Amino acid sequence: MSAAGDARLRRLRLSACASLAIVCGSFLAGAAFAACKPADAALAGQYASGAPTPLSLRLDADGRFRIYDLPPPLADIAGCWQREGARVVFAPGADGDKDGIERVLPDPLTQADLDKVRGDGIQTLEQAVDAGLLPAARWWAHQPRKPDEPLRVKVFDPRAGIAAGETRLSLRLADGREIQASPGTGDGEFEVASLPASAAVTAIGVRFAYPPQRTRWVATTDSTKQLYLIGFDALAIGAIPGGPLALDVQADGSLLADPPDRLHFKRTP
């Protein structure tokens, strides 16, 4: 096959897999569950789909599933499944204890990072960050907030790249107070300038515009930092439009998706 043909086939595969990720998105109005329920043991097992989108699917009798072997940059899709009549219905991201969000802490900058950019006027990590030579997030996320500094929060989806949208942000302080941040710009970036000088942040709350509209909290057990990175799972919170992923059970026990994907999962040994 020519290079152009290879590129076209890869685009088709990515498109089909991306469609799979999309239809996984808005499940059960974005509900979250503490654990999966046992499912139909007769369907439990290992499955694989054929060309042009060769994917692997594992259905566990305890109600968990995983779709994997997706081409980069797509990540595995996991959650809960149940049989409903002649269909298998999936709830991606439904099983877990992170409630769809978690704090992301990047590796701190090191002397080795500084050595790569050291030069005239750049002798410290802080100078390198201020000059734009090193990523600010890796510096700010580990630096204690000073009394006169604003507190920054970035809410982002590292997997699907979905924007945070009309997200609301709350800060819970050690003295019990809760501070509502001003609405962000839609890109998930917040800056809280009016935080009391001695404030100690113990938790960060994120309220998405997707149902169910409730505040999800992430605890912070270390000293208050200049920047907090909060990653969210777009599948788990229902941020991607589309219906729940469902596969039709065929007479031979295989599982067939509706168009446009036409994914056909057949049981493997």
Side-chain angles (χ1 to χ4, degrees), residues 25-266:
S26 180
F27 62 93
L28 302 180
F33 302 87
C36 300
K37 298 178 181 179
D40 186 353
L43 289 178
Q46 194 76 25
Y47 296 78
S49 66
T53 54
L55 306 175
S56 297
L57 166 66
R58 189 183 75 242
L59 299 181
D60 296 331
D62 64 1
R64 302 172 191 269
F65 83 90
R66 181 171 295 276
I67 299 174
Y68 54 98
D69 290 336
L70 283 82
L74 300 175
D76 291 358
I77 301 172
C80 301
W81 71 279
Q82 285 291 316
R83 180 169 185 167
E84 296 182 0
R87 297 196 312 162
V88 172
V89 179
F90 299 88
D95 182 50
D97 58 0
K98 295 180 181 178
D99 202 17
I101 66 174
E102 63 179 326
R103 182 180 175 186
V104 178
L105 196 61
D107 293 334
L109 293 173
T110 66
Q111 184 66 37
D113 296 311
L114 176 60
D115 290 342
K116 295 176 183 178
V117 299
R118 188 192 299 273
D120 185 28
I122 306 297
Q123 298 299 321
T124 67
L125 286 170
E126 188 169 11
Q127 289 172 340
V129 169
D130 291 342
L133 300 176
L134 292 176
R138 288 181 59 190
W139 176 254
W140 291 341
H142 294 275
Q143 296 303 305
R145 171 187 171 268
K146 299 176 182 177
D148 58 343
E149 289 180 330
L151 184 144
R152 305 174 181 89
V153 179
K154 171 69 175 179
V155 181
F156 67 105
D157 167 35
R159 291 199 340 175
I162 303 299
E166 297 179 3
T167 301
R168 300 280 180 166
L169 189 80
S170 302
L171 301 177
R172 182 176 293 159
L173 306 184
D175 61 9
R177 286 181 294 171
E178 288 187 8
I179 294 179
Q180 307 298 317
S182 300
T185 59
D187 58 2
E189 295 186 357
F190 298 84
E191 184 174 297
V192 184
S194 58
L195 198 63
S198 60
V201 176
T202 59
I204 297 174
V206 182
R207 183 183 179 92
F208 297 97
Y210 317 104
Q213 293 184 358
R214 59 183 176 82
T215 301
R216 304 161 191 255
W217 292 94
V218 173
T220 59
T221 58
D222 50 355
S223 60
T224 303
K225 298 297 187 288
Q226 295 180 21
L227 169 69
Y228 291 94
L229 300 172
I230 306 297
F232 71 89
D233 185 338
L235 294 176
I237 69 168
I240 304 178
L245 171 65
L247 300 175
D248 295 325
V249 181
Q250 305 300 295
D252 63 358
S254 63
L255 306 172
L256 182 65
D258 291 333
D261 296 314
R262 297 304 297 175
L263 290 170
H264 195 178
F265 287 98
K266 297 181 179 181

